[in-house]
Amino acid sequence: MKKQNWLMLLFVLMMIFVSCDDDKALDALLSGDDGTTETIDPEEPDPDDPYNVITDAVDIPCDYDFTTTEVKASLNIACDYDLQGKTINFPEGVKLNFNGGKIVNGKLNFSNEGVIDGQLLNINLQVEGGVAIEHPHFIFEPSRWDMVQGETSDENAFINKENLNLSLEVTHNLGAEVFEIDQLDAYFFGKRYTKHPPISYEHNGIKIPSNTHFLMSDNTFLRVQPTNNPFTRLLMTFKAKDVIIEGGNLVGDRYTHDYANVVDEEGVSRNEHGYGALVMILGSHNVTVDNVNAYEDQGDGIAVQGSSIRNRDGSLKEGAMQSENVVIKNSFIDKCRRNNFSITDGEGIVIEGCTISNAGGEHDSGERYEGTAPEIGIDLEAYRERKEDGSLYAYERVAEVTIRNNTFKGNYVADVLVFTADFVTIENNEMDNRVGVNAGHDVKILNNNLTAKADIKTNVAIGFDNYTVAGEELTYNIEASGNTISGYDTSMRIGTSNVKVADNNFNDFKEAIYISDIEDAEISNNTFKSDRDVSYAYFSRGNVVAKNVMVKGEQIEVTHRPLYLTNLNDELNNATDRIVFDDCYFASSRELYLYECKNITIKNSSLNTRIEQVNSENIVLQNNETR
């Protein structure tokens, strides 16, 4: 009877097992588990790890004869192999996997569909033929490429440059898309004394090719070897497309440079130096520089140029490229001797989220590393020449530039200078020096916060004047709106034609708006407050013309005079060419003062003082209220 019972129990259990078509349920029955415990799958390799790739590779002995490799073999390289200068010709589909070893002193020639692990690449191995890198994300290991770290000789710094360039070239040709450097602190040296773009790129810089993400870490320090070369370079692109330069520390030789006079390869004496750059973008498209620290160059931090100068009419020479769609963001550019940024040729350039500080300066040092002109945070300066007959040779062109959400601190002459550039927007920046427009048109200066530093050199926050050469007006269509300006002697110096100045807050000034020759302007809804003993909301001096200028809705509270205008429109004969103040609020301890002025209207406004006119004519006062 007991035997029958056991047989019956066994039968029931078998029926239960057959009915359990779920493997997990079967496992639960066999283990006595209630089925609520999570089943943990074996850990799978991370597909994003460039060196964690599943293969069906085979281990090979340390005395392996590579000439015996078969078609589509996958070999684990765990030993060190010296090819003794030989060339190994691999059959089709051979794959070499890094497993702690290396192959040196020879050449590997792949017939077709070959694959090599990036960790096997090194300075002493040539790779050619039909082969690709196993993963497009290459990690640079300095020891495999004979990098000399720390202070070193010029020759070693030159070899560093050559070896890093070789690694970039080899991996790029094999299909690498990301070139990553982590721990590296090394100097680099270029021997050619020339600024000629293709020669400088080929011989002086670290060359970043197209379709490359050059990725550095906080542990990456690429340094300019101290030298007397006035054309030092660090990272460069030349006629490249789709490049990202990210992270890292780029360090110049401002404080260690040899500033002795040299003669360059064109026979030009270069006593001033200052022509170097830590990042130089030459005639390149779709370039991003992100989260880079670049500082202390003897010239510029970041320079954007064309691949060559243009024809006289501004058109590109045959085969030349301008720089286009360049973005520099989230970066720290500091203490470069000439400019932190020099943009001399390019279109579609964005500089955003950067800290741009201490360009030039240090003139109290008495040392050659003191700043050299122009000493500006961002200088937009296309090179042009005006001939005696008035013709303009536009050898460079800068257009469509956006400068936004940056912090400017301590730049010696100016934060931004639009010297020769068009269609520029400067917005939402924190600044402590000047924004200037020289020969530029269609410029917008919007919603910036400018607070003067204590030792400011040029005490004008925003300035744009009528700039005319050979009868041609070069500065026009300027807007300055929504800015808050505090602590400058002159908040704005405005001139030229087609001007809009609106919704600004002017605080703590001597002159808020200094009027130069201006025509067709709309000035409205600005707020003025200054407790200085001598303070003017509007100021002019010396034969200034203001034609068709409408000032409306201004709120002015100053300790001294709201208007101090001398010789404004003094030489105008047409009574309709005038400046009109409409619906303004004036509060001050002194009178509104007009001296030898003409063609001024003040109407529909509220005043707490009188208007004093001295030798002035055609002054219209209409419907004003005296409080």
Side-chain angles (χ1 to χ4, degrees):
M1 189 68 178
K2 291 182 179 180
K3 182 176 182 180
Q4 291 176 342
N5 289 340
W6 278 109
L7 289 173
M8 181 62 71
L9 178 61
L10 180 60
F11 177 78
V12 171
L13 289 173
M14 290 177 64
M15 291 300 294
I16 293 173
F17 295 161
V18 170
S19 65
C20 294
D21 55 357
D22 187 328
D23 290 341
K24 292 183 179 179
L26 180 59
D27 290 341
L29 286 170
L30 293 175
S31 64
D33 200 328
D34 62 2
T36 61
T37 303
E38 180 181 0
T39 301
I40 301 176
D41 294 330
E43 184 176 352
E44 295 184 359
D46 182 358
D48 294 327
D49 185 342
Y51 295 136
N52 200 354
V53 180
I54 299 176
T55 70
D56 55 355
V58 297
D59 296 330
I60 58 174
C62 293
D63 59 354
Y64 179 74
D65 183 357
F66 285 99
T67 63
T68 66
T69 304
E70 297 180 353
V71 172
K72 296 187 177 180
S74 182
L75 310 179
N76 283 338
I77 308 301
C79 300
D80 293 349
Y81 299 94
D82 187 340
L83 301 182
Q84 298 181 346
K86 297 178 182 178
T87 297
I88 305 298
N89 295 306
F90 284 131
E92 181 180 2
V94 171
K95 184 172 184 289
L96 301 182
N97 311 296
F98 177 76
N99 195 25
K102 63 182 178 182
I103 305 172
V104 298
N105 192 22
K107 179 189 297 185
L108 303 178
N109 182 27
F110 293 77
S111 63
N112 194 22
E113 298 183 0
V115 176
I116 187 169
D117 191 315
Q119 293 184 95
L120 291 172
L121 301 173
N122 64 82
I123 192 70
N124 296 309
L125 178 66
Q126 297 181 57
V127 178
E128 62 182 31
V131 60
I133 198 167
E134 181 177 30
H135 196 285
H137 189 137
F138 172 77
I139 297 178
F140 179 80
E141 174 53 55
S143 62
R144 295 185 186 128
W145 297 89
D146 288 355
M147 301 299 295
V148 177
Q149 300 199 50
E151 294 184 6
T152 190
S153 65
D154 287 355
E155 187 59 30
N156 283 340
F158 175 77
I159 293 172
N160 279 346
K161 175 185 69 69
E162 295 291 288
N163 290 354
L164 184 54
N165 278 333
L166 178 61
S167 181
L168 279 161
E169 180 183 5
V170 168
T171 56
H172 177 258
N173 291 341
L174 291 174
E177 298 170 2
V178 179
F179 188 100
E180 180 178 352
I181 303 177
D182 183 21
Q183 188 76 44
L184 177 65
D185 192 334
Y187 288 82
F188 300 86
F189 176 54
K191 297 180 179 181
R192 297 295 297 270
Y193 282 43
T194 178
K195 64 179 179 179
H196 188 52
I199 297 177
S200 184
Y201 173 76
E202 188 61 34
H203 297 280
N204 281 357
I206 298 167
K207 302 181 287 186
I208 313 300
S210 294
N211 304 305
T212 296
H213 184 172
F214 189 78
L215 176 61
M216 298 172 283
S217 76
D218 292 342
N219 299 318
T220 310
F221 290 83
L222 309 183
R223 303 178 186 271
V224 174
Q225 176 75 357
T227 177
N228 70 340
N229 188 344
F231 307 105
T232 55
R233 304 286 186 262
L234 210 49
L235 300 184
M236 299 185 71
T237 69
F238 180 74
K239 292 186 176 181
K241 295 182 180 180
D242 302 315
V243 170
I244 300 173
I245 298 171
E246 181 179 358
N249 301 277
L250 311 178
V251 187
D253 68 333
R254 174 177 181 171
Y255 298 105
T256 55
H257 189 80
D258 177 2
Y259 291 97
N261 184 48
V262 296
V263 177
D264 69 16
E265 295 180 14
E266 286 76 39
V268 178
S269 178
R270 301 291 184 179
N271 181 56
E272 188 57 37
H273 296 249
Y275 307 101
L278 297 174
V279 179
M280 178 161 279
I281 299 166
L282 298 166
S284 299
H285 295 181
N286 306 324
V287 177
T288 298
V289 178
D290 186 8
N291 194 32
V292 171
N293 298 325
Y295 47 92
E296 298 177 5
D297 195 69
Q298 53 95 352
D300 299 332
I302 297 179
V304 181
Q305 303 179 6
S307 64
S308 72
I309 63 171
R310 297 169 179 258
N311 297 312
R312 293 177 178 179
D313 63 357
S315 62
L316 292 171
K317 292 183 176 181
E318 184 176 357
M321 293 174 60
Q322 69 175 4
S323 289
E324 293 180 7
N325 300 325
V326 176
V327 177
I328 300 116
K329 61 182 181 178
N330 308 322
S331 295
F332 173 69
I333 317 298
D334 184 55
K335 291 185 179 179
C336 294
R337 179 170 166 262
R338 184 175 177 271
N339 295 323
N340 282 338
F341 285 83
S342 288
I343 315 297
T344 61
D345 196 295
E347 183 173 352
I349 297 167
V350 177
I351 302 171
E352 62 181 344
C354 297
T355 297
I356 302 161
S357 52
N358 302 310
E362 303 197 34
H363 291 279
D364 295 335
S365 67
E367 301 289 342
R368 284 299 307 273
Y369 59 69
E370 67 183 7
T372 186
E375 303 177 72
I376 295 168
I378 299 176
D379 184 19
L380 309 180
E381 186 173 358
Y383 173 58
R384 308 193 300 207
E385 290 184 5
R386 181 73 63 169
K387 300 302 180 181
E388 292 183 0
D389 62 0
S391 59
L392 178 66
Y393 290 0
Y395 291 121
E396 292 180 312
R397 179 177 180 268
V398 175
E400 301 289 353
V401 178
T402 299
I403 300 169
R404 64 188 176 211
N405 301 324
N406 301 288
T407 298
F408 294 82
K409 296 187 296 185
N411 299 300
Y412 187 67
V413 171
D415 285 336
V416 179
L417 179 61
V418 184
F419 191 78
T420 43
D422 310 322
F423 299 99
V424 177
T425 300
I426 304 165
E427 61 181 343
N428 296 319
N429 300 286
E430 294 287 331
M431 300 174 147
D432 66 3
N433 206 323
R434 178 169 67 104
V435 177
V437 182
N438 185 48
H441 62 78
D442 294 278
V443 177
K444 295 183 178 181
I445 306 167
L446 309 174
N447 304 317
N448 301 284
N449 185 19
L450 298 94
T451 303
K453 61 183 180 181
D455 58 344
I456 189 168
K457 175 178 172 60
T458 305
N459 213 330
V460 178
I462 296 174
F464 47 91
D465 284 335
N466 190 320
Y467 190 73
T468 302
V469 177
E472 180 182 356
E473 187 178 24
L474 300 178
T475 306
Y476 54 90
N477 295 350
I478 311 295
E479 178 180 357
S481 297
N483 302 285
T484 298
I485 302 173
S486 305
Y488 293 78
D489 284 351
T490 302
S491 302
M492 282 191 190
R493 183 181 177 105
I494 65 173
T496 200
S497 63
N498 298 320
V499 171
K500 180 179 179 180
V501 176
D503 302 309
N504 299 286
N505 293 307
F506 302 112
N507 304 305
D508 184 24
F509 50 80
K510 179 181 177 183
E511 307 110 10
I513 294 182
Y514 191 121
I515 301 174
S516 298
D517 289 339
I518 188 168
E519 183 174 358
D520 298 328
E522 296 180 5
I523 305 173
S524 63
N525 301 319
N526 300 289
T527 300
F528 304 74
K529 291 185 179 181
S530 181
D531 294 330
R532 295 193 190 187
D533 291 339
V534 177
S535 53
Y536 313 105
Y538 281 83
F539 181 89
S540 72
R541 174 175 288 164
N543 299 321
V544 172
V545 173
K547 298 170 59 176
N548 191 25
V549 177
M550 175 60 71
V551 181
K552 189 170 184 177
E554 306 287 76
Q555 298 292 312
I556 300 173
E557 298 179 35
V558 295
T559 303
H560 204 51
R561 291 186 170 108
L563 304 184
Y564 188 92
L565 307 177
T566 65
N567 301 104
L568 184 69
N569 291 339
D570 185 39
E571 298 182 354
L572 280 180
N573 295 318
N574 188 343
T576 62
D577 292 333
R578 62 179 47 244
I579 180 171
V580 177
F581 293 87
D582 183 14
D583 190 26
C584 296
Y585 177 89
F586 298 98
S588 64
S589 61
R590 297 287 300 275
E591 67 280 352
L592 285 69
Y593 185 70
L594 310 178
Y595 178 80
E596 294 188 356
C597 294
K598 293 168 63 174
N599 301 359
I600 297 174
T601 297
I602 302 174
K603 65 180 183 178
N604 304 320
S605 296
S606 176
L607 305 88
N608 70 335
T609 60
R610 66 189 180 90
I611 300 174
E612 180 178 356
Q613 306 178 47
V614 178
N615 297 332
S616 297
E617 59 182 279
N618 198 13
I619 307 299
V620 176
L621 307 177
Q622 179 181 344
N623 196 30
N624 298 301
E625 172 194 12
T626 301
R627 301 187 303 278

